[in-house]
Amino acid sequence: MLRLRHFLDEHCDNADISGIIDGLMVACKDIAYRLHMGSLAGVLGSAEQENVQGECQKKLDVISNDLIKACLKGMPQVKGLASEEEPDPVACNESGRYLVLFDPLDGSSNIDVNVTVGTIFSVLEAAEGADGAHEQSYLQAGQRQVAAGYVLYGPSTLLVFSTGNGVHAFTLDPRIGEFVLQRRDIQVPATTKEFAINMSNQRFWLPEMQAYVADLLKGEEGPLGKRYNMRWIASMVAEIHRILTRGGIFMYPYDSREPNKPGKLRLMYEGNPMSMLIEQAGGKASTAFENIMEIEPTAIHQRVSVVMGSAEEVDNALRYHA
């Protein structure tokens, strides 16, 4: 039984990154405990306030954000942090070398109905002289991430991460309070018969995406020649974890409801870290028009459309958009 700390000591040659990942898990264990207690911990329901995205926050959105912030601010390795829930980055330790971006509780609309949610994180190296409180310091393409991962809070609590050398999964053993190795060097199957998309938005998609999904639904008789199953959990962590477990394609495409926004998901907090995991596991991640991790960000809360998962199926989707 290989514990997370020992795995990091053996497989990550950057002690600072190891420390950040190991330290983040202190906050994530606390979040997991509160989620598992549910209404008994008084964490369900709305916080009756909006975040920077204009979305109504759940109580546990706020609690999770505060727990992770407190954890990161105490780390000497961390120069600054940025949260999806806050308008501006926060400076931490001037001597730190790394910037940490995070979505404290992805899929939080599912909390009250006891469906899987998660925490997503991304780690960047700060440039020489960078200011941890300045947005410009964080505007780096996803290819420059030095680590990324998520914690999934479900029937079991799982950590999945990459430091650029494969994707590895750990399960929290509640008997000892430690994450232990579950799977190493995860690979996404290249082919799939499973897709995830919110079909209620179909009428707002671009014609290319409408055509692709229409052909998915035609099954064996259609041009793709096989029957597909559809999934939709409304939690990106859960959707990507399923793909890392058994393959599939996850799509949150551009739609016409807000023409000035290229997508709904956030590039820095969701698109980039999940793209790193998918690509490290042999899959592909795109906006349908360009590689997500090649995008040069212009704003810390920038949005992006997403098509990611099994490599051959992503290629199928991209052909419709070529």
Side-chain angles (χ1 to χ4, degrees), residues 276-287:
M276 181 177 180
L277 295 176
I278 288 291
E279 290 195 6
Q280 282 285 316
K284 291 188 176 182
S286 173
T287 66

Side-chain angles (χ1 to χ4, degrees), residues 65-112:
N65 188 65
D66 290 345
L67 287 170
I68 295 172
K69 273 181 68 177
C71 182
L72 291 171
K73 289 181 77 172
M75 295 183 190
Q77 310 96 323
V78 179
K79 180 178 282 289
L81 62 87
S83 168
E84 184 185 276
E85 297 295 329
E86 301 197 6
D88 302 305
V90 177
C92 295
N93 297 290
E94 185 59 36
S95 60
R97 291 179 54 205
Y98 296 95
L99 306 169
V100 181
L101 303 98
F102 61 93
D103 179 352
L105 207 62
D106 176 73
S108 57
S109 61
N110 286 325
I111 294 171
D112 294 347

Side-chain angles (χ1 to χ4, degrees), residues 10-26:
E10 293 176 8
H11 295 86
C12 181
D13 56 8
N14 187 319
D16 285 349
I17 301 302
S18 296
I20 290 170
I21 294 173
D22 195 38
L24 265 173
M25 293 310 104
V26 175

Side-chain angles (χ1 to χ4, degrees), residues 44-243:
L44 302 186
S46 172
E48 303 299 332
Q49 63 190 44
E50 291 186 348
N51 63 12
V52 64
Q53 318 289 344
E55 299 164 338
C56 183
Q57 291 178 305
K58 297 290 187 179
K59 289 179 183 178
L60 200 55
D61 278 322
V62 179
I63 293 169
S64 301
N65 188 65
D66 290 345
L67 287 170
I68 295 172
K69 273 181 68 177
C71 182
L72 291 171
K73 289 181 77 172
M75 295 183 190
Q77 310 96 323
V78 179
K79 180 178 282 289
L81 62 87
S83 168
E84 184 185 276
E85 297 295 329
E86 301 197 6
D88 302 305
V90 177
C92 295
N93 297 290
E94 185 59 36
S95 60
R97 291 179 54 205
Y98 296 95
L99 306 169
V100 181
L101 303 98
F102 61 93
D103 179 352
L105 207 62
D106 176 73
S108 57
S109 61
N110 286 325
I111 294 171
D112 294 347
V113 292
N114 203 28
V115 174
T116 302
V117 294
T119 296
I120 308 173
F121 63 89
S122 169
V123 184
L124 296 165
E125 186 167 5
E128 188 71 30
D131 184 346
H134 199 287
E135 177 175 338
Q136 190 63 39
S137 301
Y138 298 79
L139 300 184
Q140 304 179 34
Q143 292 175 329
R144 297 178 62 183
Q145 293 174 108
V146 293
Y150 61 80
V151 175
L152 180 146
Y153 310 107
S156 57
T157 298
L158 305 176
L159 163 66
V160 179
F161 74 92
S162 176
T163 57
N165 187 26
V167 180
H168 316 288
F170 292 74
T171 300
L172 179 62
D173 186 338
R175 299 168 300 179
I176 60 174
E178 296 279 356
F179 283 92
V180 297
L181 183 65
Q182 175 198 4
R183 299 167 64 201
R184 68 168 81 211
D185 297 319
I186 296 170
Q187 288 293 300
V188 175
T191 61
T192 185
K193 294 183 179 180
E194 199 163 71
F195 71 98
I197 196 167
N198 186 348
M199 287 293 291
S200 67
N201 295 329
Q202 183 177 14
R203 65 192 184 279
F204 302 113
W205 300 336
L206 293 173
E208 296 89 343
M209 181 58 70
Q210 293 201 35
Y212 169 59
V213 174
D215 284 349
L216 290 175
L217 297 175
K218 290 175 182 175
E220 302 95 324
E221 293 78 19
L224 297 173
K226 54 185 173 181
R227 180 177 298 181
Y228 289 80
N229 289 322
M230 191 184 82
R231 300 286 183 265
W232 185 251
I233 306 174
S235 166
M236 189 181 191
V237 166
E239 306 285 5
I240 298 304
H241 188 72
R242 185 183 61 249
I243 289 171

